[in-house]
Amino acid sequence: MAKSQAVYDLFQRNWYNRKATEVELDLAIEKGFLDGADKLAIMATPQIPLAQ
């Protein structure tokens, strides 16, 4: 479970907007902000399409 709902929401929003990467999610896990289940749930969120 994420340290707080706000932290989870921040990473999920940044993932959706393509601001957060898998590397940044791994770093958040190392620092204890997220756990592995949070990472999987965030990565399951669709991202906005890349601009053409």
Side-chain angles (χ1 to χ4, degrees):
M1 185 70 180
K3 214 168 195 179
S4 73
Q5 187 64 42
V7 170
Y8 179 87
D9 291 344
L10 173 70
F11 277 97
Q12 187 174 36
R13 183 177 64 241
N14 285 346
W15 176 261
Y16 172 79
N17 290 320
R18 295 188 179 268
K19 304 279 186 207
T21 64
E22 188 172 355
V23 172
E24 291 171 325
L25 293 174
D26 289 336
L27 184 59
I29 291 170
E30 287 178 24
K31 293 189 177 215
F33 296 124
L34 300 173
D35 62 21
D38 292 330
K39 176 185 173 184
L40 293 176
I42 290 169
M43 291 180 66
T45 303
Q47 294 179 306
I48 59 172
L50 292 173
Q52 295 285 334

